[in-house]
Amino acid sequence: MRARIMNTPKEKMIIYGFDEEKTEKFRQTAKRMKTELSVLPPESAGEQVGYLAGFAGFSPKEGEKITDSRQCVIFSCMDGKKLSQTVDHMRSNGLGGIPLKAAVTPTNQKMTLTELMDELEKEHRIMHKGEEERNV
């Protein structure tokens, strides 16, 4: 008899900070891509990414809940091909231009959502620095 791995997180998109109109577009994208969608409540910004993605070994933070005004999309347990197809469908469904996007990694699953968004903003600024200088 083969052993089964239990508590393996499902392939999913995790979204934070979007209004109902964009959330509905994410629902359409998730349905089309046959991917689970997790819509995070505003007070989840202080939670670890691993917990938000449903990974074993993570639990909710005790104490004060943290909110953040930024928007973020996290892709969990998607292979490269599926991730690329999902991002393409997001663009075609009016969800392009979202700068804070990440896939869950062993490093960022230990970060809080706010820490991840801080890191993504730094990377976005560095990647687009040349574009900003050309547009001046």
Side-chain angles (χ1 to χ4, degrees), residues 36-101:
E36 187 176 310
L37 177 66
S38 179
V39 181
L40 300 177
E43 64 276 2
S44 59
E47 299 291 351
Q48 289 180 299
V49 172
Y51 168 72
L52 297 172
F55 288 10
F58 292 90
S59 56
K61 293 247 179 170
E62 301 280 330
E64 183 183 351
K65 299 296 182 185
I66 297 172
T67 62
D68 198 298
S69 62
R70 296 174 285 186
Q71 298 174 331
C72 185
V73 180
I74 303 170
F75 303 96
S76 182
C77 299
M78 282 189 193
D79 64 32
K81 182 178 179 182
K82 180 76 174 261
L83 178 59
S84 181
Q85 291 171 340
T86 302
V87 171
D88 287 346
H89 191 271
M90 284 171 54
R91 284 188 191 113
S92 70
N93 201 20
L95 295 169
I98 299 168
L100 304 184
K101 295 186 290 289

Side-chain angles (χ1 to χ4, degrees), residues 5 13-14 18 20 30 34 45 50-51 53-54 67-68 71-72 78 82 89 92-93 98 114-115 123 126 129 132:
I5 298 173
M13 286 191 302
I14 303 163
F18 293 94
E20 191 52 46
K34 296 181 175 123
Y51 168 72
T67 62
D68 198 298
Q71 298 174 331
C72 185
M78 282 189 193
K82 180 76 174 261
H89 191 271
S92 70
N93 201 20
I98 299 168
T114 297
E115 291 169 340
E123 290 174 6
I126 290 168
K129 185 177 182 183
E132 292 168 5

Side-chain angles (χ1 to χ4, degrees), residues 8-24:
T8 302
K10 295 179 180 178
E11 176 184 278
K12 69 173 101 174
M13 286 191 302
I14 303 163
I15 63 171
Y16 180 82
F18 293 94
D19 62 25
E20 191 52 46
E21 180 183 343
K22 285 197 176 176
T23 298
E24 184 55 36

